[in-house]
Amino acid sequence: MTTFAKGHGTENDFVLLDDPEGRIDLTPELIRSLADRRAGLGADGVIRVVRSAAAGQDPSAEWFMDYWNSDGSAAEMCGNGSRVFVAYLLRRGWVSLEDGEELNIATRGGVMPVRRRGELFTIDLGAWKVAGGPPAVAAGSDVTVTFPGLPPLPGLSVSLSNPHVVVALPDVETLAALDLSVPPIVDPAPPNGTNVEIVVPLHDQSVRSELGHLKMRVHERGSGETRSCGTGTVAAALAARAWGGNLAPDHWRVDVPGGTLYVDAEGTASEGDSAKLSGPAVIVAEGELVTS
């Protein structure tokens, strides 16, 4: 029997599989069956909870978050999933983490620290950059993105563990009506696909604010539209920060369909060494998988 849990971070939901010693043969077929919302447990992604040594990962972090999209493809990391991952390690008693303490976790995007802040967790996603550098920041975009029923819109590519493209819309009504049932078309097409975040600024952009405020929806590579995307939330704030120039804040609130997340950014308009994501993590169920 394999022990599993179901958890979510702002309703971005995951199946977590216990595999400390790395014994599970985690195939794309198994991932798709677990993530299936009618025939399986249902999830945006699957996380194998495995020790780094058993998975051949960086031994400086004891635990590796082996993250997979619901379509069976591997992803570099998952911002919401990282918080749920740490919450599950705490629930199982495999780590201890007092308020204010940090735990390093290994991901395909590198080793990243997660800090406990009461009921919330903050992960530092590390270095980031606007893919097109200062020229893309100056132009405000480096790609176009097409959604059903709309003309091509400018998008800004942000590299942050996972690839992202961020698009701004003029109002929340247009955002709510957007059809994300099919993948947006990004031109030029990224070689490995990309997440697409669509945002509407809600703060006064004509004055310097201490806290920026965005409303966001997202279409995730390998999962479709989800209720939230952690790295996408950070990418959205970084793009809005680049668009805002000298008036843009470093601290952001981002409202997604599944709740609210917070972002703290450092660096220039086009790159930096730190970007932090803060939000909740909830474990909702535990059980054992029945295998035939």
Side-chain angles (χ1 to χ4, degrees):
M1 288 286 189
T2 298
T3 303
F4 77 89
K6 180 74 182 288
H8 75 90
T10 52
E11 299 181 7
N12 190 191
D13 60 342
F14 313 97
V15 172
L16 300 101
L17 299 178
D18 278 10
D19 191 25
E21 306 310 320
R23 295 183 177 131
I24 295 176
D25 182 15
L26 197 59
T27 65
E29 292 76 19
L30 175 58
I31 291 160
R32 287 193 291 268
S33 67
L34 291 171
D36 191 296
R37 294 197 180 275
R38 291 178 175 83
L41 296 170
D44 295 323
V46 173
I47 300 172
R48 184 171 64 125
V49 183
V50 58
R51 287 192 169 87
S52 296
Q57 298 294 319
D58 190 328
S60 66
E62 181 182 2
W63 293 95
F64 171 53
M65 184 183 74
D66 187 10
Y67 181 74
W68 298 77
N69 296 313
S70 61
D71 69 350
S73 60
E76 291 83 353
M77 81 93 58
C78 176
N80 288 326
S82 66
R83 302 194 313 276
V84 177
F85 179 76
V86 172
Y88 185 61
L89 290 174
L90 288 167
R91 186 180 185 88
R92 293 284 278 154
W94 288 339
V95 301
S96 61
L97 196 62
E98 298 298 325
D99 193 14
E101 290 184 341
E102 282 187 351
L103 173 73
N104 285 337
I105 62 171
T107 75
R108 290 188 183 87
V111 173
M112 300 177 184
V114 179
R115 181 180 296 273
R116 188 172 191 175
R117 297 174 53 203
E119 296 301 312
L120 303 181
F121 295 89
T122 297
I123 181 166
D124 190 338
L125 297 168
W128 62 271
K129 64 180 179 179
V130 173
V137 171
S141 67
D142 61 330
V143 298
T144 62
V145 183
T146 303
F147 302 94
L150 293 178
L153 299 171
L156 188 64
S157 304
V158 179
S159 178
L160 178 79
S161 301
N162 299 317
H164 299 272
V165 170
V166 186
V167 177
L169 291 179
D171 54 64
V172 294
E173 292 77 17
T174 305
L175 179 66
L178 199 63
D179 181 3
L180 293 181
S181 63
V182 296
I185 299 173
V186 179
D187 185 24
N192 298 313
T194 185
N195 295 354
V196 177
E197 289 78 33
I198 312 95
V199 300
V200 175
L202 299 179
H203 61 288
D204 184 351
Q205 300 174 78
S206 66
V207 297
R208 172 76 181 187
S209 302
E210 289 299 317
L211 182 69
H213 190 186
L214 302 174
K215 193 173 184 68
M216 183 187 99
R217 290 175 66 189
V218 59
H219 189 285
E220 288 198 59
R221 174 189 60 169
S223 297
E225 183 177 10
T226 59
R227 300 279 293 172
S228 177
C229 174
T231 58
T233 295
V234 178
L238 293 172
R241 183 173 175 267
W243 290 326
N246 293 333
L247 295 179
D250 293 329
H251 310 291
W252 295 80
R253 167 182 171 169
V254 183
D255 297 333
V256 295
T260 297
L261 294 162
Y262 294 91
V263 176
D264 298 290
E266 297 177 11
T268 68
S270 61
E271 63 181 344
D273 293 327
S274 175
K276 297 185 176 83
L277 171 71
S278 299
V282 182
I283 304 297
V284 298
E286 294 177 278
E288 292 185 336
L289 292 179
V290 176
T291 57
S292 56

